[in-house]
Amino acid sequence: QVQLVESGGGLVQPGGSLRLSCAASGSSIGRNVMRWYRQAPGKQREWVAYINSGGYKNYADSVNGRFTISREDAKNTVLLQMNSLKPEDTAVYYCNLEGPNRTYWGQGTQVTVSE
C-alpha cells in the first residue's frame, strides 16, 4: 500500500519561501516518477514540477526559476523548495507518485501567499 503524506504548507508573505515535503511509504521514490501539482480555488489541478528516477527535473513555466524539486532518498521523501512566492501561488499542493500500474496522490497541503 503506497501512501504519500505532504507537509510544510502555511501562510507566507509575498516574496517569502516555503519548503514542502512529501514522505512516501510502500514504494521507493527513487524508482518512480514523482510530481508536484497544485489546485487553486475554482481552478483545475495543474502540474508544477517533475523528477524521475534518473534525477531529471522539469518545471511549469509559472514556477521555473523559483521552485526546486529534489529527493532525499534515504528518507524516501520528495521536497519542493519554493522561493519568491507570489499570491498566485496560493493553492493546495499535492504530491504524486507514478507507479508501474497506477498513480498515487497525497492528501495535499495548503499554501497561502498573502500580506
Side-chain angles (χ1 to χ4, degrees):
Q1 180 83 5
V2 176
Q3 289 190 319
L4 304 172
V5 179
E6 300 97 334
S7 61
L11 173 64
V12 63
Q13 292 186 335
S17 298
L18 282 175
R19 189 176 78 162
L20 305 184
S21 297
C22 171
S25 61
S27 183
S28 170
I29 63 165
R31 292 200 295 264
N32 294 285
V33 170
M34 303 295 299
R35 296 180 177 89
W36 284 96
Y37 284 78
R38 66 186 182 187
Q39 188 166 18
K43 294 187 176 182
Q44 289 189 330
R45 191 171 298 189
E46 64 173 357
W47 166 72
V48 174
Y50 162 106
I51 185 168
N52 69 9
S53 58
Y56 173 79
K57 305 174 186 181
N58 199 13
Y59 301 92
D61 288 344
S62 59
V63 307
N64 197 23
R66 300 187 297 123
F67 290 12
T68 302
I69 189 171
S70 62
R71 293 195 322 245
E72 291 187 342
D73 290 348
K75 297 181 179 180
N76 213 32
T77 296
V78 176
L79 305 173
L80 185 68
Q81 178 66 41
M82 306 187 296
N83 298 328
S84 302
L85 283 161
K86 305 174 182 180
E88 52 263 44
D89 294 319
T90 295
V92 178
Y93 283 71
Y94 298 91
C95 178
N96 170 283
L97 183 152
E98 182 182 319
N101 299 310
R102 57 162 289 186
T103 58
Y104 299 87
W105 294 89
Q107 82 291 347
T109 185
Q110 175 70 46
V111 171
T112 303
V113 185
S114 178
E115 295 286 357

